[in-house]
Amino acid sequence: METKRCNFWLPNKKRFCANSPIGDSLYCGNHNSRSEGQWIPCPIDPSHSVLEENLKSHVKRCPLLKQVQSLSLHPFYRKGINAGSDGEQEDKEVLGVDDSRLPAKTVSSEMKRNALHNMSVPEFCNLLEKIESIHESFCKDIQDSFQMPEVCRMWIKTGEENRKLPFQEKHIMQQASILGNLENFGILRSSLNRKFSKSEEPDKQENPVPAVIEFGAGRGYLTQMLADCYGIKSVFLVERKSYKLKADRTLRQNDSLRLERLRIDIEDLDLTAVESLHGVPFLAIGKHLCGAATDLAMRCCFPVSKDNDGGQRDVSKNLGGLAIATCCHHLCQWKHYTNKRYFLDLGMTEEEFHAITWFTSWAVDANHGSDLPDATDFRSHFQSIRKEQGDGYVDGVEKILADMEAPKRAALGFKCKWIIDMGRLMWLRELGLDAELVKYVPPTLSPENHLLIARPANYL
């Protein structure tokens, strides 16, 4: 007897969906038309929605329920510990308000766009002038730091010969440059002699950070290169999703390496409660930590002292260094952003912050054959808008944005990215760390090429 299949045609696969239909429908649950009614986000996993009338039964069988229940048993799970809020301590000092008990709102890209389109033309021009001024004041001395350490070059060569490189060349170049910047910054020491020489003698230059925490680890390939090239002894992979084809299998073949994968959202991770990390010097890394994940990871590494009533954050005595490649700035949220004071002191509002994050998506839509967009000055553009519009401003902001030339849109996106990351850099420095913000790969390789790197000021 032939099994009934969903009647939804998949054009890319040139076949019908292989799932079974539900009830008397011709389609499976994924392709069946939505029932009329009020759909609301699932309280356990907001990534999917459920009919309000079915909510009570759904929460008992939500696929994520088992994982949430399991997480709640771990001492390192503390819901929202790294989330921040719309009214943190730094905001209270500036604004004199305390709204930390109020639920922090998430602002979608659509909400950001609509708020921007609803600006008056003078407000919009004022915002662009602020962006130009801030970029010129704070973001002019960011250096290129494209690295390829010799130990990584030899590791890549060995992998190519053995056909064991599981990722694309562009990812290899990014990973190698992150590690090279850590080496140049004095945080890592190459294990070149021990790893690739025929000598039986042990490497006398042990790394001062024997443990690595990779935030947003994905499949863990950045850590795989780091562990192989720099002799790391202990690895913690933090990732909320489950992945196939992970580097874990290769890493576990190293008998001298301890591997622990923590399937948890960075927002809920209390590093001080991870027992196997107690008293262990560690390095925190992350490649392309999307949007607010960068801010969550930074907070995770610098928890608020339990003995400090002022809510001040401490630099962990065990933190040996930090390297985070930022990306997807359009996903940043005010409630999560680490350095709200930076924007407030520059006269920027929460609404203007979200407008800046929305502009950043234009940077990755550009032609990345050169760095020219980053040098574009908008002042002539402001003047042309005012000259064409006069005092009446017939065209609204939406029309002005639609008519903006692609290079100018890209330039605005790049500048907004630098402004956001510069605030993060200043936050790290305010904690007393030696910190730098560099371009770690050319924009032709990846337009998401910002690397935050930091170490304790007394680091030897």
Side-chain angles (χ1 to χ4, degrees):
M1 181 179 177
E2 186 177 352
T3 306
K4 292 180 64 178
R5 299 295 183 190
C6 172
N7 278 25
F8 187 86
W9 178 256
L10 303 172
N12 291 339
K13 297 184 177 181
K14 297 181 180 179
R15 63 170 176 80
F16 289 100
C17 172
N19 292 330
S20 300
I22 56 173
D24 297 329
S25 173
L26 296 175
Y27 304 98
C28 67
N30 292 328
H31 299 123
N32 199 38
S33 60
R34 277 196 164 191
S35 304
E36 293 183 3
Q38 181 65 35
W39 289 83
I40 60 175
C42 169
I44 299 173
D45 180 13
S47 66
H48 65 271
S49 300
V50 60
L51 274 171
E52 188 173 19
E53 62 192 59
N54 297 336
L55 181 62
K56 190 174 181 179
S57 60
H58 173 80
V59 294
K60 297 178 181 178
R61 52 187 173 81
C62 177
L64 200 67
L65 179 61
K66 186 175 180 180
Q67 180 190 345
V68 172
Q69 291 174 335
S70 175
L71 268 177
S72 64
L73 301 176
H74 292 286
F76 54 76
Y77 174 78
R78 290 185 60 190
K79 182 66 176 175
I81 186 174
N82 304 313
S85 72
D86 289 323
E88 293 180 284
Q89 180 68 25
E90 57 197 41
D91 305 328
K92 300 171 198 172
E93 295 173 5
V94 175
L95 302 175
V97 297
D98 182 359
D99 63 350
S100 58
R101 295 186 179 183
L102 299 176
K105 59 183 179 295
T106 297
V107 182
S108 68
S109 292
E110 182 180 6
M111 293 166 66
K112 294 177 183 180
R113 182 184 67 244
N114 291 340
L116 188 63
H117 289 173
N118 289 332
M119 281 185 177
S120 67
V121 174
E123 288 174 336
F124 173 71
C125 290
N126 183 52
L127 173 60
L128 294 189
E129 287 178 337
K130 284 183 181 180
I131 292 171
E132 185 67 39
S133 176
I134 293 170
H135 181 269
E136 187 172 347
S137 299
F138 293 97
C139 307
K140 286 296 186 182
D141 298 324
I142 299 167
Q143 303 297 315
D144 293 344
S145 185
F146 312 150
Q147 304 295 326
M148 174 54 75
E150 187 62 25
V151 65
C152 292
R153 192 188 307 278
M154 295 186 70
W155 183 87
I156 294 168
K157 182 180 178 181
T158 302
E160 289 174 340
E161 291 173 352
N162 299 329
R163 297 184 178 180
K164 288 186 177 181
L165 293 180
F167 32 74
Q168 297 175 349
E169 181 182 359
K170 69 175 184 178
H171 297 302
I172 296 174
M173 302 297 289
Q174 293 173 53
Q175 291 160 3
S177 187
I178 291 172
L179 302 185
N181 275 284
L182 282 167
E183 187 177 327
N184 284 358
F185 213 53
I187 298 172
L188 286 177
R189 294 184 187 139
S190 171
S191 59
L192 180 64
N193 294 335
R194 175 180 54 79
K195 185 71 180 175
F196 294 103
S197 71
K198 297 180 180 180
S199 173
E200 299 282 336
E201 296 181 9
D203 183 9
K204 295 180 181 180
Q205 280 197 319
E206 293 249 341
N207 264 300
V209 281
V212 169
I213 304 171
E214 183 179 357
F215 291 98
R219 293 179 172 85
Y221 291 135
L222 172 59
T223 291
Q224 180 182 350
M225 180 184 282
L226 191 155
D228 284 351
C229 295
Y230 292 90
I232 300 300
K233 302 298 183 184
S234 188
V235 168
F236 298 83
L237 302 177
V238 180
E239 174 58 59
R240 66 181 178 181
K241 296 181 180 179
S242 178
Y243 282 91
K244 296 180 180 179
L245 304 175
K246 299 187 289 284
D248 302 36
R249 179 162 36 180
T250 303
L251 289 168
R252 292 186 193 281
Q253 293 175 0
N254 185 345
D255 295 333
S256 63
L257 177 72
R258 175 180 179 175
L259 171 64
E260 191 170 342
R261 183 175 276 269
L262 305 176
R263 189 179 175 189
I264 185 173
D265 196 309
I266 303 170
E267 182 177 331
D268 306 322
L269 175 60
D270 181 3
L271 273 188
T272 63
V274 178
E275 186 176 353
S276 47
L277 264 176
H278 288 173
V280 179
F282 67 87
L283 165 65
I285 60 174
K287 175 177 175 284
H288 293 319
L289 274 176
C290 292
T294 292
D295 302 293
L296 301 178
M298 288 166 62
R299 277 200 182 87
C300 189
C301 292
F302 307 106
V304 174
S305 172
K306 296 178 181 178
D307 301 325
N308 193 330
D309 295 333
Q312 299 298 316
R313 295 186 177 272
D314 288 342
V315 176
S316 171
K317 295 179 181 178
N318 296 323
L319 179 73
L322 175 143
I324 294 177
T326 64
C327 82
C328 300
H329 298 74
H330 63 284
L331 297 176
C332 290
Q333 295 286 324
W334 178 257
K335 66 176 181 179
H336 296 313
Y337 190 67
T338 48
N339 201 353
K340 299 181 184 70
R341 177 191 290 275
Y342 161 73
F343 273 91
L344 294 169
D345 286 349
L346 291 171
M348 304 288 281
T349 65
E350 177 181 344
E351 291 72 22
E352 288 174 326
F353 170 85
H354 282 132
I356 284 176
T357 66
W358 189 80
F359 286 140
T360 61
S361 62
W362 289 347
V364 294
D365 289 338
N367 177 4
H368 307 296
S370 70
D371 286 328
L372 285 177
D374 204 28
T376 302
D377 192 312
F378 288 99
R379 289 184 175 87
S380 60
H381 188 62
F382 307 149
Q383 294 169 1
S384 65
I385 291 176
R386 291 192 173 104
K387 184 176 180 180
E388 292 172 7
Q389 298 282 323
D391 296 328
Y393 298 108
V394 177
D395 294 335
V397 171
E398 185 174 0
K399 179 69 164 58
I400 293 173
L401 292 175
D403 292 343
M404 190 180 291
E405 297 173 2
K408 291 179 179 177
R409 288 163 60 99
L412 181 58
F414 278 118
K415 290 182 179 182
C416 289
K417 280 178 173 289
W418 285 120
I419 290 171
I420 291 170
D421 283 341
M422 186 56 65
R424 291 162 166 167
L425 173 68
M426 291 180 176
W427 190 81
L428 291 170
R429 288 177 174 173
E430 287 169 4
L431 289 174
L433 283 85
D434 290 335
E436 298 293 340
L437 176 61
V438 299
K439 301 177 185 178
Y440 75 105
V441 291
T444 50
L445 186 65
S446 172
E448 303 282 19
N449 63 348
H450 299 183
L451 180 68
L452 280 167
I453 187 165
R455 67 182 184 188
N458 59 353
Y459 191 85
L460 297 178

